[in-house]
Amino acid sequence: MGTTYKCKLFKKTSLFLRTAVQHTQNYFTGEPIADKPLTEWRNRIRLSYSLNKNYNATLSAEPYLAFDRLHPGHISRIRYVSQLNFRYNKFNNLSLFYLIEPDVITYKRPNTDYVIGITYSIKLPNKWKDFNKFYRRSNADKDKDRDTKDSYN
């Protein structure tokens, strides 16, 4: 569960603030401590720059504030993401991203995760006649829904 706020800073630059709460639990044993319940409060700040009508680049940072029975209210990890988004048409988006997630709590050797990824998102048309435009390159100037979408969450 979460919410996002968008603030336009300049003509091509926007700032996004997102806050979300997620809860995970295993539900295997029936014992609350053994099921490892974890609630995390995620606050992401994202800076987006529109290169043109079909491309945008973003940088974001997202600390995870974890709440569990043993360690209430601690930062469990911080995720940094840079990405390039390409909007082919209003139905197809492609995103290339690079994610870095260093350990915040470490006891011996810090572990840092590095991820390079590609995300391809499809939005199915809600009208049958729009299926013939599904893979057709759109003219970004004529599209009503022409904003490039950030596809990495």
Side-chain angles (χ1 to χ4, degrees):
M1 178 173 67
T3 185
T4 303
Y5 173 74
K6 178 182 177 182
C7 174
K8 191 118 176 132
L9 297 177
F10 303 106
K11 184 177 180 181
K12 293 185 170 192
T13 308
S14 297
L15 180 70
F16 295 85
L17 303 171
R18 190 203 65 189
T19 185
V21 175
Q22 77 180 34
H23 179 77
T24 56
Q25 189 168 347
N26 289 333
Y27 297 110
F28 291 128
T29 65
E31 295 180 23
I33 295 175
D35 287 338
K36 299 179 183 175
L38 178 67
T39 302
E40 289 180 313
W41 182 24
R42 302 168 59 174
N43 293 293
R44 178 172 60 199
I45 183 166
R46 174 177 284 167
L47 188 63
S48 177
Y49 181 76
S50 178
L51 302 169
N52 62 27
K53 296 196 186 289
N54 293 322
Y55 290 92
N56 77 348
T58 66
L59 293 172
S60 65
E62 182 175 15
Y64 286 64
L65 186 60
F67 300 94
D68 59 20
R69 289 182 182 232
L70 300 176
H71 307 97
H74 66 281
I75 294 178
S76 61
R77 57 189 160 152
I78 299 176
R79 180 178 285 172
Y80 303 101
V81 178
S82 63
Q83 71 180 0
L84 178 67
N85 299 302
F86 169 64
R87 181 183 177 274
Y88 183 72
N89 60 21
K90 67 180 179 179
F91 303 112
N92 298 281
N93 288 300
L94 180 72
S95 177
L96 305 170
F97 66 90
Y98 181 64
L99 180 143
I100 300 172
E101 190 174 287
D103 268 349
V104 176
I105 300 172
T106 182
Y107 297 103
K108 292 186 179 182
R109 251 185 337 175
N111 182 27
T112 302
D113 294 329
Y114 301 96
V115 178
I116 296 174
I118 298 173
T119 304
Y120 178 66
S121 63
I122 296 173
K123 176 184 162 186
L124 294 176
N126 56 1
K127 296 180 183 175
W128 186 255
K129 67 179 183 175
D130 288 339
F131 273 98
N132 64 353
K133 302 174 189 173
F134 191 70
Y135 286 111
R136 189 180 306 155
R137 181 81 175 105
S138 69
N139 187 351
D141 293 332
K142 292 183 180 179
D143 271 347
K144 295 174 190 171
D145 181 27
R146 66 178 181 219
D147 290 335
T148 305
K149 304 292 187 228
D150 293 337
S151 58
Y152 178 76
N153 288 322

